Amino acid sequence: MAQPLLEVNNIHCGYDGVPVIHGISIKVFPGELVAIVGTNGAGKTTTMKTIAGLIHPSQGTLSFRGENITGLSAHETVQRGISYVPEGRRLFSKLSVRENLELGAYIVKDRGEINARLDQAFELFPILKSRADQMAETMSGGEQQVLAIARGLMSKPVLLMLDEMSLGLMPSMVEKMMETIQTIHEAGVTVLLVEQMVQEALEVAHRGYVIQTGKIVLQGTSQELLDSHEVRKAYMGM
Ligand code: ATP
């Protein structure tokens, strides 16, 4: 079997000494689209932040492309090819769409390269091109979410981590958002996404992990999870 792109090995972490994640292990293989699903407060965001280097594990290890990345800073994980798009968009609302995108390429110094990446973003998301000079705050919630993802792609990540992209979107927009995520994945980016919208996420992902109070309680192919009695009962109201 291929070497995992990302390997999270038995990590424990929390906030101010209060443990939140109790021994989580996750693998993402090159080219996969993997979902971590679970309810509010289960520890999904904390897991993502730990992979991104925003929080450091008290135990356990993280490796990326076969190298140990445990303890690296967020800046260093971006340089290694990990991009984290946090929950809640976190855009610079008073800056233009183009300026927000350029900030996503902060690790790049070459103007020509930044412009080439902007062109790619505009090609992938034409809506952003037509709004390039508009302030981010003037766009709809769904458009802002697309901008947040496009900004995450500006660092040309090998692994794109998306945290609750469906949050605050109307149901019809959630489906569109999942299609956008699939498009990015088809363009060659490995994707790890976190979602409370369990069914919608598993419908686009290859594999999934179900997280509950800081532990992985189930894992499998998306189809296995969608067919699972536990998942259907606990997360899909069936
Ligand atoms: P959500 O969908 O609400 O983001 P989640 O599954 O991503 O849920 P986390 O945000 O990882 O869950 O939260 C896991 C636990 O950690 C929760 O009990 C939460 O209260 C706690 N927690 C999260 N962020 C902090 C923080 N900055 N300081 C202290 N505790 C935190």
Side-chain angles (χ1 to χ4, degrees), residues 70-146:
T70 321
L72 289 193
S73 67
H75 183 77
E76 288 167 320
T77 63
V78 174
Q79 281 176 328
R80 303 256 175 150
I82 298 176
S83 180
Y84 172 52
V85 181
E87 194 175 22
R89 299 169 203 146
R90 313 267 168 90
L91 295 169
F92 295 92
S93 56
K94 301 286 180 198
L95 296 185
S96 71
V97 166
R98 188 194 309 278
E99 287 163 337
N100 268 282
L101 287 173
E102 288 187 4
L103 284 167
Y106 71 94
I107 55 168
V108 183
K109 301 288 167 250
D110 179 55
R111 187 67 239 177
E113 178 60 25
I114 295 172
N115 286 340
R117 292 187 190 190
L118 271 174
D119 287 345
Q120 282 167 3
F122 289 148
E123 198 177 312
L124 197 56
F125 308 109
I127 183 74
L128 300 182
K129 187 171 188 180
S130 60
R131 306 284 169 91
D133 299 312
Q134 218 170 292
M135 265 197 272
E137 68 177 9
T138 62
M139 303 209 299
S140 74
E143 288 165 355
Q144 289 189 29
Q145 200 64 281
V146 167

Side-chain angles (χ1 to χ4, degrees), residues 15 20 39-46 87 164 196:
Y15 301 94
V20 167
T39 52
N40 206 348
K44 305 181 300 297
T45 296
T46 306
E87 194 175 22
E164 304 255 4
Q196 273 185 57

